[in-house]
Amino acid sequence: MSDALIARLRQAVIDAEPDDALALVRELLAADVAPTLILDGGLAKAMLILGEMWKSGEVFLPEVMAAAAVFTICNEEIEPVLLASADHKVGAKVLLATVKGDMHDLGKNMVAAMLKMAGFDVIDLGTDVSSAAIIEAVIRETPAVVGLSALLTTTMPEQRSVINALVAAGLRDSVKVLVGGAPATQEWADAIGADAYGQHAPDAVRAVKELVGVLD
Amino acid sequence: MGPQPTVRAPRTLGRRLAYNLLDATEIEATHQATLDVLEHTGVTVRSARILTLLAATDAIVDLERRLVKFPPSMVEAAIAVAPSEYLLAAREPAFDMFLDRSRGYYCLEGGPSDIVDLASGKVRSPTSQDLIDATRLADSLNEISFLWPSVALSDVPPADQAAHQTYLQLANSTKHVVAMTTYNSRDARVVLELGAAVAGSAAALKARPVVSSFVCSISPLTWDGPPLESALEFAAAGVPCGVVCMPVSTAGAPTTLAGHVVIANAELLSGITILQTLYPGTPTYYCPFSAEMDLHSGNMDGAWGPGPVLFNLVMSQLGLRYGLPMSIGTNGTGAKTQDWQAGAQHALTLMGTLACGNVDLIASTGGIDNSRVFSLEQVLLDCELWDIAATLLDGIPFTEEYLAVSVINELGPGQHYLAHKHTRNHMRENWRARFFQSQTWQEWEDLGRPDPRDAARKRAREVITTYVPEPLPDDVDREMRSIIDRYTTAGGSA
């Protein structure tokens, strides 16, 4: 019975139906199905399937974003049970921020959703985030990767400032830095000493996976 | 290469076609939908100062949530009090732009963070010299009436961009300058001071604004504080400041064209209402820019198909309904070179623009890769298209002389018109290409198979090495340099 329920859960995530998915998660938990099985066989598998559908052009980014939101809701339901069990594993931590002076966060939000979908633990610091606040968060959260977003040509140099601040704080070697945003390029990333550049949200996920050594 | 015009005179668009995509009922429904959003949802304003000012008006202000809602009457009153026509002046009065929907003016691209190097053809970071070159090229071209800062300057700190860009453009062209990078009050004040130095005084700048600016919303429905505060500086000085939005459909606006239009209209009317409520009668304009999202990657869609043209057609109908001076975007392209895609997209969007009725300000020329990259060759190629567009709207004389019946009757059947004086009298009035090619195949082979880009690149090189714009008077130049020194040493310089 649980196999059929998990199959229905996968479909509900793929179809981005939050109510259906949440009801199925609760039903599975009530039936004492292992939370890792619900997560791996249901939620994560659904995102994997959706990822393949996205690559083939069968679904588009908005459908992936909607499914990622359902994934997050279901994951929150499972998490307490999962934490209570011994065998949960957590993906690498990624810290995201739109740099100081910049209020644009659409691109960063897309990156956050797609990283969550790929199993990463995402901490989003929001927009207009100062170097100091990013340094503080790096110390607090010890992420594997810091992703810095900027849309304006006038705020893009702030990505360099954050990297310089990481160096000054002696943290540069402890964390990889990813940059992105409309005016950013690979050349820019190289010039400011970033570790990677994401051309768009899916490419940012590719870059983060490479940085932390996760194979597709 | 074809002819270069010898007479310096603005090449503007005359009477436009007006293709009314929506009927009057649909336009009214769109307006009402916008009022609904402004009344019931409102916009975020991230400025404590402006929120406090608005709290004393008819606006419903939630200081804690930084949310402003606008009663419909307030929006209608703002539209009514906004000036329907005014002057954007140029250092050279022949290039003054009077925004009254009678002429369409073309603009140099602004903002790209990269430039195509003329010598190597490679993309690189632009410097101040690149802005000087682009400005001089634009100054030499009759098709271009006003200037955005064509590139971001990699050799100038971000906080000083507006000051340096404005100075370099005013010093290297006699045309109107739009300082589009005024992101805070300090930027606005330095631009206004530079403008006053050129005009003679702050009062003279108000009478003849040789510089202006614009402020852009963040979609959906958000105004960042410092840029909006910079708009108030312009309003206080009586210098025009446009209101711009750039919603990307599917991401920052609904995926439907109609919903995209409602977001754009709500953002523009909210900005105009804020400006007109706080500074009644201040000159502004209605400027909807847009883009679509690439459904696969989430990036801005570089395909620039019919969507942006349809968006412009609807938005221009709304802007004309409001009776406001208006600016729209043309020449969207995701092309990486000056190729078929760039040419086709620039030509098709420009033709769409001609059908938008009498829009005043038309942006812009020289951008590729979704305006991320600036190209001097593209400016020249775009101006060729603009010249064709302008010619289409010039009208054609059909008088006795032009009907040429006497010439036809005189020559009769079987003769030719080559040697007739009527031909010599009028043939130079016909449009001739500068960059479109018409050589024979053999000539083309012998020349090494050049494409129009090669001719444009050669011409761009000629212009930037030989063209000398009318310089600023020495004392004005000195004053502007001291203004910049004062601002860039007074803090804020990174």
Side-chain angles (χ1 to χ4, degrees), chain A residues 54-57 59-62 101 103-104 106 110 127 152-157 182-185 199-202, chain B residues 46 111-114 152 158-159 161 181 183 217-220 224 248 250-252 293-299 372:
Chain A
W54 173 80
K55 270 186 204 162
S56 71
V59 298
F60 293 123
L61 192 77
M103 305 304 306
H104 298 87
L106 267 173
M110 287 182 198
T127 60
L152 304 172
T153 53
T154 50
T155 56
M156 191 171 67
T185 59
Q199 305 171 67
H200 44 60
Chain B
R46 299 175 189 269
S113 50
D114 277 319
Q161 292 284 318
T181 53
Y183 292 133
S217 55
I218 298 177
S219 299
D224 195 9
V248 178
T250 309
M293 191 192 82
D294 177 282
L295 289 179
H296 184 70
S297 70
N299 265 3
R372 194 187 64 79

Side-chain angles (χ1 to χ4, degrees), chain B residues 17-342:
Chain B
L17 322 165
Y19 169 56
N20 291 325
L21 190 72
L22 301 191
D23 64 27
T25 313
E26 289 166 323
I27 284 291
E28 205 43 43
T30 308
H31 175 60
Q32 290 304 325
T34 307
L35 292 180
D36 185 313
V37 169
L38 291 174
E39 183 180 14
H40 296 110
T41 296
V43 296
T44 299
V45 175
R46 299 175 189 269
S47 162
R49 183 185 150 212
I50 294 173
L51 287 170
T52 308
L53 291 170
L54 289 173
T57 71
D58 290 344
I60 314 299
V61 178
D62 182 334
L63 288 170
E64 200 177 322
R65 295 171 62 204
R66 299 192 287 184
L67 201 61
V68 181
K69 296 179 181 177
F70 303 92
S73 59
M74 186 181 178
V75 179
E76 300 286 9
I79 295 168
V81 77
S84 63
E85 51 185 58
Y86 56 85
L87 174 74
L88 289 180
R91 190 146 74 80
E92 180 180 357
F95 279 87
D96 279 359
M97 300 181 290
F98 196 70
L99 309 189
D100 63 355
R101 264 67 78 224
S102 66
R103 309 300 304 181
Y105 303 97
Y106 207 18
C107 165
L108 184 67
E109 176 66 278
S113 50
D114 277 319
I115 187 168
V116 180
D117 186 272
L118 263 191
S120 70
K122 298 266 169 56
V123 168
R124 60 169 172 77
S125 289
T127 63
S128 296
Q129 187 58 49
D130 292 312
L131 182 61
I132 291 170
D133 291 346
T135 303
R136 289 183 172 203
L137 179 68
D139 192 66
S140 78
L141 292 164
N142 286 337
E143 287 80 4
I144 297 179
S145 287
F146 67 109
L147 312 174
W148 283 354
S150 52
V151 287
L153 309 177
S154 65
D155 55 344
V156 167
D160 298 335
Q161 292 284 318
H164 284 266
Q165 288 170 334
T166 304
Y167 165 68
L168 291 175
Q169 294 210 285
L170 284 168
N172 287 283
S173 171
T174 52
K175 297 177 182 179
H176 180 82
V177 171
V178 178
M180 64 186 275
T181 53
T182 50
Y183 292 133
N184 52 51
S185 296
R186 172 180 167 274
D187 289 342
R189 285 195 291 269
V190 67
V191 165
L192 287 165
E193 273 202 54
L194 291 169
V198 172
S201 67
L205 179 66
K206 186 177 176 180
R208 286 190 50 79
V210 292
V211 293
S212 62
S213 191
F214 63 68
V215 60
C216 183
S217 55
I218 298 177
S219 299
L221 304 172
T222 301
W223 290 99
D224 195 9
L228 197 55
E229 286 167 12
S230 86
L232 297 195
E233 297 281 345
F234 283 92
V239 171
C241 183
V243 175
V244 177
C245 66
M246 298 186 184
V248 178
S249 65
T250 309
T255 196
T256 53
L257 179 75
H260 193 188
V261 161
V262 170
I263 284 286
N265 199 37
E267 289 177 9
L268 295 183
L269 290 188
S270 66
I272 288 166
T273 301
I274 291 168
L275 281 183
Q276 296 301 330
T277 302
L278 300 178
Y279 290 91
T282 193
T284 187
Y285 52 84
Y286 181 91
C287 180
F289 295 147
S290 77
E292 295 177 320
M293 191 192 82
D294 177 282
L295 289 179
H296 184 70
S297 70
N299 265 3
M300 191 193 293
D301 191 353
W304 295 94
V309 175
L310 291 167
F311 177 89
N312 276 351
L313 287 168
V314 175
M315 293 307 294
S316 61
Q317 271 189 271
L318 283 165
L320 294 171
R321 175 208 183 274
Y322 299 135
L324 296 170
M326 198 174 158
S327 175
I328 60 170
T330 194
N331 288 350
T333 183
K336 308 297 177 282
T337 63
Q338 301 74 35
D339 59 5
W340 171 81
Q341 183 175 341

Side-chain angles (χ1 to χ4, degrees), chain A residues 89-105:
Chain A
K89 52 183 189 295
V90 179
K93 199 180 270 186
V94 182
L95 197 81
L96 295 178
T98 299
V99 296
K100 189 169 169 51
D102 208 322
M103 305 304 306
H104 298 87
D105 64 357

